[in-house]
Amino acid sequence: MKSFDVPVVYRSKLITAIKKKRKEEDRMKKDFSPTLLNFGSLNIYLARHFGFCYGVENAIDIAFKTIEENQEKRIFLLSEMIHNPQVNEDLKNKGVKFLQDNSGRQIIPFDKLTADDIVLIPAFGTTLQIEKSLKSIGIQIEHYDTTCPFVEKVWNRSEAIAKENYTIVIHGKPTHEETRATFSHASDQAPGVVVKNMQQAKELAKYITGEKPSEKFYAEFKNQHSENFNVHKDLERIGVVNQTTMLATDTQAIADFLKDVMAKKFGLTEQNIKERFADTRDTLCYATNDNQSAVIGMLNIPADLAIVVGGYNSSNTSHLVELCEEKLPTYFINSDEKMLSEKTIIHYNFHNCSEIVTQNYLPLKKAINILITSGASCPDAVVEGVIKKLAGFFPASKTFDDLISEFQ
């Protein structure tokens, strides 16, 4: 893959060495076992895949080059570049202003913009309506569009199946920037509906089978369906695509479930299922798959706790937390500063969107095993900070330089 110019402040010498060695040993990416960092009485198991993905590095590269090359111009970001507080704060400190918040609420009205301004489109992409509004001002968004290529792949796949008269079912969070963008692009070509989870997919299936009266659909899926959606006509041919940061297994389960519903409803087999259901397996993001598979591999290690590092509003990170929570105590933090001491940690409960304080999170044992991973928008330097902080709580038999030399 293409390499990007990412500011060195986001890099980690240790983690770069680890990732380089693991890649050389496993070029086909078939080994999802974690990497052991042995500090003596502390063993840290680092996930095989974590941290910046292709789309995030692409966005950061474009954003910082744009700032460097346009010192005399006003530069705006449509909303957060990625869901990481450090990166967004760094962009603000360089003079970049945000036009909207994550929910799409306006901070700076578009009528305050001029054709000479630069507007960066974030990695999640944006809606066709917003693109049209910015272009009408004369802003050349195509030069500063950091939309992830894997998000665009979902749009392209949606467009392809829309041309074959399939309705697009999007598995995603309705208010997430990426889902709003994908919904806009998909519903421009064909009818569309968003399902949050398997429960909503099961409710949608009741409209497909006729178990529920069609008039109830519009209230149940309010703000989640395209304009003029016709329940009777638009659920006869469907295809499922996803917000790229959802749990891959959840998306596949929803697709398999709806495929089965369509097969039973219309009396279809594997040979003719395409008459009613489009195969869209190729819209799952490689980084989402790799990071989730790496967590599943890491969870095979007997451990005392897991720490997941990333932005609190990061969808892909919350799903890594979700996987870890099923197996062991898990602490979701956005920096090493949240570990106040070896006894006290401030961490995020994404289920109710609040920070909580936990005491005695590190067990009183002679030897402790900790699993660590991070989201796709989290800098490796932040993960290194967490590792260093943890190592400082235990008598260390190795220094960071010792560890780096092991992986070089």
Side-chain angles (χ1 to χ4, degrees):
M1 282 189 176
K2 178 183 175 184
S3 60
F4 299 100
D5 185 10
V6 173
V8 69
V9 68
Y10 300 141
R11 299 293 193 193
S12 156
K13 196 173 180 182
L14 171 64
I15 291 173
T16 297
I18 291 170
K19 287 183 175 180
K20 184 173 182 289
K21 185 175 183 183
R22 291 299 302 265
K23 185 176 180 180
E24 288 170 353
E25 294 173 345
D26 179 35
R27 292 199 174 275
M28 299 304 291
K29 296 199 297 187
K30 292 185 177 181
D31 180 6
F32 290 102
S33 63
T35 302
L36 171 62
L37 306 182
N38 185 344
F39 287 97
S41 56
L42 169 67
N43 287 320
I44 290 176
Y45 290 89
L46 206 53
R48 169 68 176 93
H49 300 285
F50 64 93
F52 283 174
C53 63
Y54 181 98
V56 166
E57 291 205 348
N58 175 62
I60 290 173
D61 188 358
I62 293 172
F64 282 93
K65 277 181 181 173
T66 299
I67 293 167
E68 187 180 332
E69 294 169 0
N70 296 275
Q71 302 282 336
E72 304 305 315
K73 288 196 170 190
R74 295 198 306 170
I75 301 175
F76 297 88
L77 246 173
L78 187 56
S79 59
E80 287 191 359
M81 168 66 61
I82 56 176
H83 285 161
N84 179 267
Q86 180 184 346
V87 174
N88 289 308
E89 197 59 34
D90 288 347
L91 291 169
K92 285 181 181 178
N93 291 338
K94 288 184 176 292
V96 177
K97 294 181 172 61
F98 285 39
L99 295 172
Q100 298 178 335
D101 66 14
N102 293 336
S103 300
R105 288 186 289 265
Q106 213 68 27
I107 298 171
I108 300 173
F110 288 164
D111 60 17
K112 300 292 184 185
L113 301 174
T114 71
D116 292 327
D117 293 327
I118 291 172
V119 175
L120 289 157
I121 305 300
F124 317 106
T126 191
T127 66
L128 292 171
Q129 295 90 331
I130 288 175
E131 285 184 9
K132 185 178 178 181
S133 296
L134 293 174
K135 287 177 179 178
S136 70
I137 298 168
I139 292 171
Q140 298 179 312
I141 60 170
E142 60 274 7
H143 296 311
Y144 308 103
D145 186 352
T146 77
T147 302
C148 172
F150 294 94
V151 172
E152 291 180 326
K153 180 181 177 182
V154 176
W155 298 351
N156 293 338
R157 189 72 184 101
S158 298
E159 183 178 351
I161 64 174
K163 287 178 179 176
E164 297 176 18
N165 298 315
Y166 290 99
T167 289
I168 314 300
V169 178
I170 303 165
H171 173 219
K173 300 175 180 178
T175 59
H176 191 282
E177 300 99 313
E178 183 190 324
T179 298
R180 297 202 310 267
T182 296
F183 179 77
S184 170
H185 284 258
S187 58
D188 185 60
Q189 304 287 333
V193 59
V194 178
V195 295
K196 301 176 190 175
N197 48 35
M198 178 60 87
Q199 185 55 46
Q200 277 208 327
K202 288 179 178 178
E203 296 309 309
L204 181 68
K206 292 175 184 177
Y207 294 105
I208 294 172
T209 61
E211 289 177 60
K212 276 190 168 183
S214 59
E215 58 269 18
K216 287 191 174 182
F217 171 88
Y218 303 99
E220 186 169 359
F221 286 89
K222 185 179 180 182
N223 299 323
Q224 291 177 227
H225 63 81
S226 55
E227 192 175 355
N228 300 320
F229 193 94
N230 185 317
V231 178
H232 298 293
K233 179 172 67 73
D234 296 335
L235 292 176
E236 292 192 340
R237 283 167 63 86
I238 63 172
V240 179
V241 299
N242 67 310
Q243 177 185 320
T244 59
T245 54
M246 302 301 280
L247 271 173
T249 51
D250 285 358
T251 297
Q252 198 55 63
I254 287 169
D256 290 343
F257 168 74
L258 291 175
K259 179 181 178 181
D260 187 56
V261 169
M262 298 300 279
K264 288 177 180 175
K265 161 81 173 176
F266 295 102
L268 304 173
T269 65
E270 280 297 325
Q271 284 66 44
N272 60 0
I273 187 65
K274 287 186 179 180
E275 292 177 13
R276 300 286 179 173
F277 189 85
D279 179 11
T280 55
R281 289 174 186 266
D282 56 355
T283 66
L284 295 171
C285 168
Y286 88 94
T288 297
N289 268 327
D290 286 352
N291 291 353
Q292 291 172 10
S293 297
V295 165
I296 293 167
M298 180 176 71
L299 289 170
N300 290 322
I301 300 293
D304 298 290
L305 64 133
I307 293 177
V308 181
V309 192
Y312 291 162
N313 59 346
S314 167
S315 175
N316 78 87
T317 310
S318 70
H319 290 305
L320 302 180
V321 175
E322 198 176 343
L323 289 170
C324 291
E325 283 180 340
E326 293 177 0
K327 293 292 184 75
L328 75 174
T330 301
Y331 302 96
F332 182 6
I333 61 177
N334 59 19
S335 77
D336 65 285
E337 294 175 0
K338 299 298 179 179
M339 295 184 292
L340 302 184
S341 68
E342 67 271 27
K343 292 186 179 296
T344 309
I345 188 170
I346 301 172
H347 56 107
Y348 190 67
N349 183 334
F350 77 90
H351 303 287
N352 61 17
C353 302
S354 66
E355 278 192 326
I356 54 179
V357 178
T358 295
Q359 302 291 342
N360 303 315
Y361 68 104
L362 296 178
L364 297 173
K365 296 171 63 178
K366 286 185 178 179
I368 183 171
N369 293 341
I370 299 178
L371 310 180
I372 294 182
T373 190
S374 72
S377 52
C378 181
D380 285 348
V382 176
V383 178
E384 181 181 296
V386 170
I387 295 170
K388 281 184 174 177
K389 189 79 167 274
L390 284 169
F393 296 149
F394 296 85
S397 60
K398 293 178 184 174
T399 66
F400 255 68
D401 286 340
D402 291 335
L403 280 173
I404 291 169
S405 63
E406 282 183 19
F407 293 98
Q408 286 179 333

